[in-house]
Each structure stands twice: as C-alpha cells, then as structure tokens.
Amino acid sequence: MKLGTKSCADRRRGELFLWNALTIVVAYGSPDRIASRLDRANQEFEVLRHWEASAAWNASIQINIWNQNELKQVQNEKELWKLHTCTDLEHIVEHLSTNISRDQSRQISLFCRGPKYTPELSRAFEEVQQELYRIYHTSLVCYGDFCEHGEPELARRMEQSRDPQFLLTIWHAWRHRVGPKGKPLYRDMVQIMNQAARRNGYDNVGAAWKEVHDLPKIENEVKRLYDEILPFYQRLHAWVRFRLSKFYGEDLIERLRPLPAHLLGNMWAQSWEAIADLIVPEDLLGSNQDFTLEDVLAISNLSVVDMAKSAEEYFVSMGFQPMTSSFWRYSQLEKPVDPGFPTSCHPSSLDLYNGDDFRIELCGQQTWDTFLTLHHEMGHIQYYMNYHHQPPIFRDGANPSFHESIGDCINYGIQSPAFLKRFGLKSKLEPNVMIGHLLKQALSRIPLIVWSYVVDQWRWDVFSEKVPFTEWNDHWWDLREQIQGVQSPLPRHPDSFDPMAKFHIPDNSPYIPYFFAGFLQVQLYERLCQVEHGSTIDVHQCDLWGAKRAGHVLRSLMSAGQSQPWKRVLMDNLGMASISAQPLLRYYDPLIRWLDEMIERESIPIGW
Ligand SMILES: [Zn+2]
C-alpha cells in the first residue's frame, strides 16, 4: 500500500506560508487569474503534502503521542487550507467570462472532490482515526511465554502453525484484543466522515470513495468481474476444502460448508499461499522443486537489503530510474531490533513530494513474501518518480487500482520460470510442475481479489447506514460467507468487531483498489509481454527482466499520473478500453482445466 509526510524547520515554514495563503486577496474575472491561482494552489499543495508525509512517516516509524499529535495538527491545517482554496477557486470560476481549459477544470474537480471537513470535523476525525491506528499497532496478545503484536508476529504464526487449537486461540485473541475497543470509535469515525461528505453533496462517504474510480456504477462493475471469476474461485475453494479435510478431518472441514477462517494460513484468510504444503499434491512439485522458493532465497543468502537491490535491478533492467540516495538512507526495510517503542509493521511506501525523497517501511524477513512485497512497494515508488513532473494535483495513479497494480504486474514476471532460473530452478517446468506453480500463485492472488470485494462492500453498506450498528459484525460475516465462502470458527459476541482486526479498517484506507488491481495487473502483464516478445508469447514463460520496450510503455502510462481519465490512459498506452477478467482467466486456464479434472475424478463437491 502507499501512505498518504518532518522536521521543526519544515513546520515553521509551512505555518508561515499557510498564513500568507489565507490572507492574499484574489481578484476575479480574468482567465489568467485562474491559471495563476491554480499554480499557487499546486505550489502550496506540494509543501503541505511534504509536510504531511513527513509527519505520517514519523508517526508510523515511532508511534507515540507526540508524533500522533504532530500528524493530527498537520492534517487539520491541510483540511482548513483545502477548504479555503476550493472556495477561492470556485468563486474565480463563477466570475469568469470565458470557459476554463479542460486541464484546469480537471485539476479543480480532482482537488475539490471528497468530504469537506470543517475545522471541528477535521479535529474530531483526526482524534478518532489516530486512536484507532494506535490500538491496531500497539495492542499485544500474550500467550504462553510470548506477548506479540498482530503484525508481523501473530500474522506469521498464523502462516506457520498447523495446530488447529493454537490457530483458533491466536485468531480469536487478536480479534478480542482490538475489536471491542475499536467498535465505538469506528462508529464515531463513520458519523464524522458522513457529515463531511454531505457538506460536499454526497449521500455518504462511501459515494465519495467510489467517485475516485470514475465508474458510474462501480458496484455493478465489481459484481460483473466477481461473477466472471466465480467459477474458477469456486473450484479453487472446493479443492482447498477437499485437501484440508484430508489433513484436519471432516469434523473441522465440513462438506459443502464455508471454510473456517483460522485454517487458511493467514490472519484474515486473504491469501492461502502459506498452506500450499497442504494443498499442492506431491506429483505437482517435481524433483527440482523439492526446495521451496524460501529455501532458494536462503541458499542464495539474500538479506532483505539484497532483495531490495534485486528489485531495483529488475526495474532498472526495464529502463526505469534507480532508487534515489534518500531512498536508501531513510527507508526502513527491517524491524529495528528492540526499538523500545511501537512501530508500524504494515508494508507501505511514501512520496515526500520533493522529487528525491521516496521511502519504504517494511518489517522484512528473509522470505519469498518479503521479496514480492518489495517489488510491490517499489512499484509505488517508481510511480511517484515517473509522475513527479506533473503538477502536484495530478501526482497520483490514473485511479487507485493503477497504483496497486504496477509492482504486482512485475511480480508475475518474477514468478515466471524464465526469471526463477536465476535462482537455480529449471527455466522450463514440466507441465505438471507448471500446474503446481500456478496453483501456488492462485492461492496467493485469487482469494485476495474476493476478500477485497468483502472488505469494501461491507464498508459501503456501513457508510450508507443501511446496516444498523448492532448488526455490523453479523453483516461482516454474512458477506464473508456469501462472497468468500469463509466462516467464523466461533460464535461471535455482541461486542465483537472483527473488521478492526484488519489494518485498512482502522487505517481507513480503501480496499477496492486491490480488487481491480487483481485483474489489471494480469492485463498489464499480458500486454507488456506481447509488446516485448510478440503476440504469440506464452505468458507463463514471459519474463520482463531487461524488457526495454515494455518498460517504455509502462513508464508512459505511469508518467501521465492522473492528468487524464484512466480509461484514456489505458487506451492510449495499451489499447484497452476497460478492466477485464479475461487475461486472468487465460493465465490460469491450465490450472482451471486441471481443477476440473480433479473435481470430477475425486467427486469433490463445489459451493458452500
Ligand atoms: Zn500497495
């Protein structure tokens, strides 16, 4: 994910400029006036975003009251500034005698959309949101001889343990620790956001969140894409249930029932890759895959910094710029040993809006997952670097899904046998081993798409106030069962608030970008492979290492930022009109056919 800003000197400079911004009197009526007012808004926006990013970085690296207060203050001042600047811009436009340019209109519309916070609403929002953030990152679960945070320690235990009782204990304890404390705060936050959204003409804050995707009927679009991959997901789900029932027994894994959420190798059941050892049959492993990718990394003796260098080399091989010296100086790639204060371990990237300072925060370990996460986060950094020449208002992804797709598109290349031969694996896998390889990839990527749908459908329903507060948690589990085929392993208590156990809920970051990114990343990968290697390339054998032509196309798409509607960016650079499930279904087609065979041969029931 990407974080949305540092020193006392910067802060003083910001305060001074802000005061000036509010006291300058603007003359209306001239077309030049709007151009100069927009220029000033962009300059001020850049300073404020730098200031905010610095404070966000400090509050994430070292979670304490001082840093949190600093961030709250910056964000309050930014909201106040935005309110005044938008009012100013809108007044100028009203009094203009000629039309403004399409570019100016787009800048004003992007800048002035979203909830409109009054100073009181902004203060109330920052208060409650920072408290939710603090609860998520500082809460500890104590069990036996350990006391640990949710990320990365407890999450790691959920991946590694195969003891159902222990998994159930950890799964429940984390939710019990953060849920009831977060529930009333989250209700307050929703009310505040809705008030601010209504002040800018939205029915509720969900409508404002949906607007940034520039899809008139986003819920229909999400449902359409979900329906297209549902037959594949149902088959994958059926196979996983079949294999888990062999391992855990039918008492725990029941026929034609949703999967219990604590046995899928992940705290949130959003990726099932960690249980690949239980799911991928031995005959799909092959002799050359007797060692796992994690072993390969250990044999190669790559440290986390080495892995980050390797990710940088990959992008550079495609013609991208290397990371800046500030990146290597300030990024925190591993959890500090005994730092003496709480720190966020949720992987994130940050643009400090000065053209040189871009950072990653990660509690990386010597694992394959860290290797892929580094490429994902570096995809965000490359995006920041490539649209930096744009006016600050345009410095963002064509839409949020684009930002989440770049690194994961590259990760498809990283997982190709053509690339993995660099680590001593075969460059061309036997067909059965290729199926095993695709099955592992599917376990990591397909459940995430479906889970993303659940997370934001739940928030849209909560924001619209169609679900009463007392039913929030039940609605969460209804959606998880219905959409994802996953159920709670325990009856839930009336005080339970299980969404709180997931970072993006207390952090208040939209999740539907990951849904669309699940499709867009394969779409980008397939097209970039064709651009580089021709239309007949087998995507399973396509590596983008050194792919200069593909790199050129990708950089062109990224350098547009959000200066154009996303559909135009997609069409101009890749000749595509919309987000499609077809490239994903084509990529996994050999696996889908194999799943059909297995389901028939073993008479495995489908559905839940
Ligand atoms: Zn991301």
Side-chain angles (χ1 to χ4, degrees):
M1 76 163 289
K2 61 195 182 84
L3 268 181
T5 276
K6 143 189 154 179
S7 72
C8 290
D10 290 339
R11 182 160 180 69
R12 281 195 295 274
R13 203 164 57 231
E15 281 165 356
L16 192 66
F17 117 81
L18 191 57
W19 187 84
N20 284 334
L22 299 179
T23 53
I24 289 171
V25 177
V26 176
Y28 302 118
S30 138
D32 290 346
R33 181 60 60 191
I34 192 69
S36 68
R37 186 64 188 91
L38 262 175
D39 277 351
R40 185 151 65 85
N42 268 305
Q43 287 164 20
E44 293 166 356
F45 193 38
E46 185 171 44
V47 175
L48 274 167
R49 289 189 86 172
H50 168 72
W51 189 15
E52 181 188 30
S54 301
W57 176 262
N58 292 341
S60 182
I61 287 291
Q62 188 168 351
I63 302 171
N64 61 35
I65 293 292
W66 195 90
N67 284 339
Q68 287 197 294
N69 283 341
E70 177 83 1
L71 179 59
K72 277 183 219 169
Q73 196 181 339
V74 176
Q75 289 179 326
N76 287 334
E77 293 189 25
K78 186 180 139 205
E79 285 302 327
L80 181 65
W81 168 83
K82 189 179 161 189
L83 200 62
H84 285 273
T85 306
C86 277
T87 308
D88 214 7
L89 286 164
E90 282 157 6
H91 279 164
I92 299 173
V93 172
E94 265 175 40
H95 291 82
L96 277 180
S97 50
T98 54
N99 287 336
I100 61 172
S101 72
R102 192 188 295 179
D103 190 77
Q104 290 168 333
S105 163
R106 183 166 175 82
Q107 287 199 42
I108 296 171
S109 132
L110 290 176
F111 179 72
C112 296
R113 71 187 181 186
K116 229 177 198 173
Y117 288 90
T118 60
E120 295 71 32
L121 284 174
S122 175
R123 270 194 295 278
F125 173 80
E126 292 305 332
E127 199 66 43
V128 70
Q129 206 271 315
Q130 291 288 318
E131 181 58 11
L132 283 163
Y133 186 88
R134 195 192 60 77
I135 292 169
Y136 184 87
H137 286 294
T138 61
S139 293
L140 286 165
V141 165
C142 297
Y143 179 84
D145 57 355
F146 67 78
C147 279
E148 293 175 339
H149 295 104
E151 290 189 74
E153 292 89 1
L154 296 175
R156 191 90 183 128
R157 289 187 186 275
M158 293 297 297
E159 290 170 7
Q160 292 171 337
S161 174
R162 300 291 177 260
D163 173 351
Q165 193 52 48
F166 176 73
L167 287 166
L168 185 62
T169 302
I170 297 296
W171 185 92
H172 174 256
W174 173 241
R175 281 157 182 78
H176 181 64
R177 201 83 191 94
V178 296
K181 272 194 277 186
K183 194 171 188 176
L185 292 166
Y186 196 78
R187 176 174 57 184
D188 294 346
M189 188 166 76
V190 172
Q191 285 172 353
I192 298 163
M193 290 193 295
N194 275 346
Q195 281 184 57
R198 285 172 190 137
R199 292 187 72 255
N200 206 14
Y202 301 100
D203 286 343
N204 59 72
V205 70
W209 282 28
K210 291 173 190 172
E211 185 187 28
V212 301
H213 289 273
D214 196 14
L215 283 165
K217 291 188 176 161
I218 190 171
E219 290 185 65
N220 294 351
E221 191 65 4
V222 170
K223 181 74 168 53
R224 174 184 74 79
L225 290 165
Y226 170 76
D227 285 344
E228 281 191 57
I229 60 156
L230 186 57
F232 173 27
Y233 179 67
Q234 285 175 325
R235 280 158 178 75
L236 185 67
H237 180 281
W239 177 253
V240 168
R241 185 171 55 197
F242 171 72
R243 294 285 293 185
L244 284 182
S245 73
K246 292 209 171 302
F247 184 77
Y248 286 115
E250 290 198 5
D251 286 350
L252 279 178
I253 310 288
E254 299 171 76
R255 277 173 68 86
L256 281 171
R257 291 288 304 146
L259 292 161
H262 66 307
L263 298 178
L264 292 161
N266 182 276
M267 181 63 92
W268 312 277
Q270 67 180 58
S271 162
W272 306 344
E273 192 182 16
I275 55 165
D277 56 316
L278 306 179
I279 308 302
V280 183
E282 259 181 39
D283 62 316
L284 301 191
L285 291 174
S287 59
N288 200 28
Q289 297 255 315
D290 289 340
F291 51 93
T292 65
L293 291 169
E294 302 227 342
D295 293 333
V296 170
L297 289 175
I299 291 162
S300 310
N301 201 25
L302 292 182
S303 67
V304 174
V305 173
D306 292 336
M307 288 190 232
K309 294 267 183 202
S310 173
E312 179 189 39
E313 273 178 48
Y314 201 104
F315 281 100
V316 170
S317 82
M318 294 177 72
F320 285 85
Q321 292 296 310
M323 294 294 103
T324 62
S325 55
S326 297
F327 173 88
W328 294 110
R329 186 167 171 201
Y330 295 118
S331 288
Q332 179 180 292
L333 300 177
E334 292 173 86
K335 188 172 184 173
V337 182
D338 213 2
F341 46 79
T343 182
S344 164
C345 268
H346 191 85
S348 58
S349 63
L350 194 69
D351 180 355
L352 280 98
Y353 294 91
N354 64 3
D356 176 68
D357 196 349
F358 310 99
R359 308 177 189 177
I360 286 178
E361 184 186 4
L362 177 70
C363 296
Q365 296 171 311
Q366 206 177 34
T367 63
W368 182 245
D369 187 47
T370 290
F371 194 55
L372 295 180
T373 301
L374 279 162
H375 288 81
H376 175 91
E377 300 302 338
M378 216 173 269
H380 287 307
I381 306 273
Q382 285 292 353
Y383 221 146
Y384 304 146
M385 291 166 74
N386 275 279
Y387 58 52
H388 185 74
H389 63 285
Q390 294 282 357
I393 292 173
F394 284 156
R395 287 185 209 161
D396 209 335
N399 76 27
S401 321
F402 281 65
H403 236 300
E404 295 303 337
S405 297
I406 303 301
D408 282 344
C409 161
I410 299 300
N411 275 335
Y412 268 95
I414 300 295
Q415 287 171 289
S416 74
F419 178 76
L420 293 173
K421 73 178 179 193
R422 290 158 56 91
F423 294 103
L425 299 182
K426 283 184 184 172
S427 62
K428 196 157 175 70
L429 302 179
E430 301 300 325
N432 60 325
V433 181
M434 192 65 214
I435 298 290
H437 189 67
L438 287 175
L439 180 50
K440 282 187 204 165
Q441 272 186 289
L443 290 172
S444 141
R445 292 173 188 265
I446 307 302
L448 180 66
I449 296 176
V450 179
W451 153 256
S452 308
Y453 182 9
V454 171
V455 175
D456 272 5
Q457 184 64 56
W458 178 83
R459 276 195 287 209
W460 294 340
D461 291 346
V462 162
F463 293 161
S464 72
E465 297 172 2
K466 76 177 196 191
V467 184
F469 177 62
T470 51
E471 290 170 24
W472 278 8
N473 208 51
D474 291 342
H475 188 58
W476 173 257
W477 284 108
D478 286 348
L479 292 176
R480 293 204 70 181
E481 288 199 19
Q482 180 195 323
I483 296 172
Q484 205 187 0
V486 166
Q487 66 183 351
S488 167
L490 288 171
R492 306 313 291 141
H493 187 272
D495 289 342
S496 298
F497 182 53
D498 298 322
M500 178 71 193
K502 175 66 187 170
F503 170 82
H504 298 71
I505 300 293
D507 190 60
N508 204 36
S509 329
Y511 213 79
I512 208 70
Y514 299 99
F515 176 85
F516 289 115
F519 300 96
L520 183 57
Q521 60 196 235
V522 202
Q523 234 178 315
L524 292 176
Y525 176 66
E526 186 187 71
R527 184 54 58 95
L528 293 176
C529 288
Q530 290 167 349
V531 165
E532 189 67 28
H533 303 289
S535 57
T536 55
I537 177 78
D538 172 4
V539 280
H540 304 107
Q541 300 301 331
C542 165
D543 181 12
L544 293 174
W545 176 275
K548 292 280 193 299
R549 277 190 296 272
H552 178 77
V553 169
L554 194 54
R555 286 198 305 286
S556 164
L557 176 145
M558 290 157 76
S559 70
Q562 59 175 350
S563 62
Q564 303 288 344
W566 68 266
K567 286 188 178 175
R568 182 160 169 199
V569 172
L570 203 56
M571 180 55 82
D572 285 356
N573 292 287
L574 295 164
M576 297 167 178
S578 62
I579 295 183
S580 162
Q582 294 312 306
L584 181 145
L585 293 171
R586 278 197 288 274
Y587 183 86
Y588 289 105
D589 183 59
L591 172 65
I592 296 168
R593 284 189 275 119
W594 179 86
L595 285 169
D596 277 339
E597 262 177 52
M598 291 300 115
I599 284 164
E600 195 180 329
R601 186 194 298 173
E602 305 283 350
S603 304
I604 299 170
I606 296 178
W608 53 82

